[in-house]
Amino acid sequence: MFGHLFIYQLKDLLKQKWCIGWNFLFPIILVSAFSLGFGNIIKNNENPDDFEVMEIAYVSDAPNDTSFYLMLEEIAEGDEKLISFQKMSKEEAEKALKNKEIEGFFQEEIIENDSKITLSVTKNGMSSTLLNEILKSYNNGKEVFNKIMKDHPENIEAAAKKYADSMKNDYVTRKTFKNNLSPFTNYYYALLAMAALFGSWMCTSMIQGFCANLSERGKRFECSPANKMTALFAGMLACTVLQGLAGAVLILYIEFVLKISLGMPVGYAILIAFLASAVGISCGALIASFFKSEALLVGIPIIFSMLCSFLSGLMIENMKEIVEKNVPILNKINPAAVYTDCLYRLGNYGADSRFYQDIFIMVAMVIISVIVSSLLLRRRNYDSL
């Protein structure tokens, strides 16, 4: 029965002209427009954010070396260092920043035996993101140390070692950008995420065929002996396969027709695209389980897909950094942001811990969405047919 329902749903979806148009053709048209806009910049590797060692400055009114200053010294050591810094007055640092002699500067003020650190940069981009991450890591580590000192002072030595190892792995050794990817590649990652979330439209359309209050086919289905959950899982699998194929076609088009490298083996990119498609499909099932109006089942997936894509950087390059700075939790629950971050980590750094974290989050999204939607849909009853 499961196989029969799977094939039936697959055939039914392939007959839908809007499905082929929006899920297969529209992303290809859009990525072609991207290529016309900045494809040559990527191909020629004209990367405005390329850097070897970032020159920055440190401004402080502290009489002695502080923990932040010592951390910067640690990061600035070795042949593979990420940054090089020098102490300056605030006036000197501002002048150097204006003349583009440095990428940015940290200013540390001592207020009542505590430090307040601010960052000034010339522009948004890879360098500003890295400097923000350094500051964020320091602040997070400082909060953790303060809490440990207060609650469990006996563990402070182990915590300090763990923190030092973390800083060494993340910042002391410069990451090798495997293909020297342009920041414009992030637009392609965001487009792949948008295409994956288009699967939510496909899923809500499929589920309408199971609902007696939304379609004639739904009335026939409710009267049939087919198990509702079996039909739901078969339909979701059919949607995932079809959307995954759409993502695979898009990736192959980018790599082999447009000749733009995503910075990773094509096979890995396609596998991740299938997982992201499963996320989009499961989100569609979740939407369908909460809303019973036909108009909402069309409108909500569109709004959901475009809003998530916008927040992941499809329209504005540094939108994800803005969200991370102001509402960081959004980047963890936004499936488009998680998918783009997954591709970015694999393309630039390889399969590091954050890459696996993103994979885990996407798998968790699928499992949670499927469980919640199945529980809600199986309890849906009708007074009469």
Side-chain angles (χ1 to χ4, degrees), residues 304-323:
F304 169 75
S305 301
M306 299 314 298
L307 180 60
C308 289
S309 301
F310 171 75
L311 294 175
S312 70
L314 182 63
M315 294 79 170
I316 301 174
E317 179 190 353
N318 64 331
M319 178 53 68
K320 205 162 62 167
E321 286 76 14
I322 294 173
V323 173

Side-chain angles (χ1 to χ4, degrees), residues 270-323:
I270 290 176
L271 287 175
I272 299 171
F274 270 89
L275 175 58
S277 298
V279 174
I281 298 302
S282 60
C283 287
L286 193 62
I287 291 170
S289 66
F290 280 102
F291 299 98
K292 301 179 182 180
S293 164
E294 186 174 1
L296 290 177
L297 289 181
V298 174
I300 296 297
I302 295 175
I303 296 171
F304 169 75
S305 301
M306 299 314 298
L307 180 60
C308 289
S309 301
F310 171 75
L311 294 175
S312 70
L314 182 63
M315 294 79 170
I316 301 174
E317 179 190 353
N318 64 331
M319 178 53 68
K320 205 162 62 167
E321 286 76 14
I322 294 173
V323 173

Side-chain angles (χ1 to χ4, degrees), residues 232-233 236 282 285 365-375:
L232 175 64
F233 293 139
M236 291 178 66
S282 60
M365 285 179 175
V366 173
I367 294 173
I368 293 171
S369 297
V370 168
I371 291 174
V372 173
S373 58
S374 60
L375 289 174

